[in-house]
Amino acid sequence: MSGDADAAARLDFFVSSTRADQAWAEWVAWWLEDAGYRVLCQPWDFVPGSNWRVKMQEGITRASRTIAVLSTTYLTSVYGQEEWQAAQAADPRGLERKLLPVRVEDCDRPGLLGSVISIDLFGLSAETARLHLLRHVRAALDGRMKPASAPAFPATPGPRSPAREPSFPGHPAPPSVPRRGPVAGLLPGHTGEVGSVAFAPGGHILATGGVDMTVRMWEVTDPPALRPAGQPVAGHTDRVRSVVFAPDGRVMATSSADGTIRLWDVTDPARPHLSGRPLTGHTPWAWSMAFAPGDRILATVDDRRARLWDVTRPARPRLLANWSTGHADWVRSVAFAPDGRTLATSSTDGTVRLWDVTDPATHRPIGDPLTGHGREIRQVAFAPDGRTLATAGADTAVWLWDLTDRAAPCPIGEPLAGHTASVRSVAFAPDGRPLATGSTDATVRLWDVADPAAPRPRGTLTGHTDRVKAVAFAPGGNLLATGSSDATARLWVI
């Protein structure tokens, strides 16, 4: 074996990146080499005279592990896709952890990539990011992350021991805050992140949608004795992005990264079955959905468009409206106001737009876009009285908006602050008083917004070990469901 080949054979990591993320790739490679690891880094090792394809193949085949520097640009790169897919193909079950995604911005991970736990460096200081990177790389090599000191006894009152901090929050843990309420139950079973949770109108059934392409139904009548309601609902060929129930509880809609929306007859939740053909046409997929209150009108949004569907006959759904929202980037969330006449859409462009959909065929915008977050808005939710709108942003803040005059909405006071990373989900309780927010910092925060002008923190729920992607209150308001990238859903007594 030649000297070059022998050196390549002893590589620990191949750092895969795009030119746009060269600074990140070099930063990661520098500190890995400083810690004693052997690294092949594209900006350093693909020198003039090298065969680019051969060097890429060398990195894929001879390095023990591939570090994929994930960003929106990387995820659209053909060569980046080849590199991370080759690493995953060599270890499809992740038993050897050959693929280590390192996210340098808050980007989603498509398809199978979403089931691989990432190391998140965005939003951290340089020193915190360095320690975070090395700690989690070491954990990947060892196959576990056991705390250095003994955890506190679970029954001990007071703040939790630092040894119980989440393994992969992606950001430093916020100050310890006592739990607001006990965990009513842990819902395992998904093999990847749980990105959507929804209660059926009666409150007895909870649906959870995951990156594993399934929806699981849970009987939650007796929270201490949670049980599956039948087998997982399968049919999508990519991650499930959203799950919603029709107001009568007999139809469930699911959207997926496979580009389809499916309608399911869940009259018997233990035996759901597909109604008609999947709804198609969204590009590249439907991010979010919402049913109109008291009606079988389904709103769906994708890249920059919104659609309204009449699903009174689920086997023969009818498209009522299809329009460009005017957002400059992906539409991430959609919600109906309680009166069913106003629709809100939020986007990666950092704005929210309101629409009058009293007559779906003549839908029209209401006022100017809502601005203020500065970064993408992950989710929107109307308060039950329809006079307040909550928006959750990647800027770590939650804004409350006064919609008394929907043509001229205005922010109410200062944004809700406390999360240390992107806020991914937001939901009002049925009585409108508690507000729940879920974040990339792996926590759920509760707020008393009975007076939106003077909101008060009610506590923080901890226990998830990765990003909280979804929150939903049960119709009775006493239970909160949460879904996380740690592959679990949880129920909390509020």
Side-chain angles (χ1 to χ4, degrees), residues 7 12 52-53 57 71 96 115 149 161 189 211 213 216-217 239 274 284 316 321 395 403 420 436 445 486:
D12 295 306
W52 184 88
R53 175 67 68 176
Q57 187 66 21
S71 66
E96 297 179 56
S115 64
S149 58
S161 163
V211 73
M213 303 181 288
R216 293 174 181 263
M217 311 278 278
R239 66 192 303 162
L274 190 63
R316 299 181 65 182
D395 58 359
L403 300 184
T420 60
R445 288 182 175 255
D486 65 9

Side-chain angles (χ1 to χ4, degrees), residues 133-161:
L133 171 70
L134 297 179
R135 177 175 177 237
H136 288 82
V137 163
R138 185 71 259 169
L141 298 179
D142 294 343
R144 67 190 319 217
M145 188 179 286
K146 181 179 177 180
S149 58
F153 180 58
T156 302
R160 303 180 73 184
S161 163

Side-chain angles (χ1 to χ4, degrees), residues 31-32 34-35 37 129-139:
W31 289 113
L32 288 176
D34 186 73
Y37 298 111
R130 183 182 71 84
L131 295 174
H132 189 75
L133 171 70
L134 297 179
R135 177 175 177 237
H136 288 82
V137 163
R138 185 71 259 169

Side-chain angles (χ1 to χ4, degrees), residues 393-431:
D395 58 359
T396 77
V398 177
W399 289 60
L400 299 177
W401 303 82
D402 184 347
L403 300 184
T404 304
D405 179 359
R406 295 197 178 174
C410 58
I412 304 173
E414 294 297 316
L416 305 182
H419 285 295
T420 60
S422 171
V423 185
R424 305 296 293 263
S425 50
V426 61
F428 283 95
D431 66 2

Side-chain angles (χ1 to χ4, degrees), residues 232-308:
V233 180
H236 285 295
T237 58
D238 205 332
R239 66 192 303 162
V240 175
R241 287 203 167 272
S242 181
V243 180
V244 292
F245 285 94
D248 62 9
R250 294 193 288 182
V251 174
M252 178 178 72
T254 60
S255 71
S256 168
D258 65 12
T260 69
I261 297 163
R262 294 171 182 256
L263 302 175
W264 307 85
D265 184 333
V266 291
T267 305
D268 179 358
R271 296 177 178 81
H273 60 271
L274 190 63
S275 296
R277 294 183 177 182
L279 308 182
T280 59
H282 281 287
T283 306
W285 51 69
W287 279 99
S288 177
M289 303 180 295
F291 272 104
D295 205 348
R296 281 195 179 179
I297 301 297
L298 180 68
T300 61
V301 292
D302 61 12
D303 188 359
R304 291 174 175 80
R305 303 190 70 80
R307 289 173 170 83
L308 295 177

Side-chain angles (χ1 to χ4, degrees), residues 9 18 51 76 98 103 147 152 155 159 193 228 285 296 318 320 345 351-352 361 383 414 444 456 468-469:
T18 65
N51 184 307
T76 59
K98 285 186 172 294
R103 294 199 311 159
E193 72 177 31
W285 51 69
R296 281 195 179 179
R318 185 165 58 95
L320 300 175
T345 58
T351 70
V352 173
E414 294 297 316
V444 177
R456 296 183 296 109
V468 177
K469 299 292 292 288

Side-chain angles (χ1 to χ4, degrees), residues 44-59:
W44 295 346
D45 296 304
F46 289 31
V47 297
S50 300
N51 184 307
W52 184 88
R53 175 67 68 176
V54 171
K55 294 294 289 186
M56 184 179 77
Q57 187 66 21
E58 178 184 275

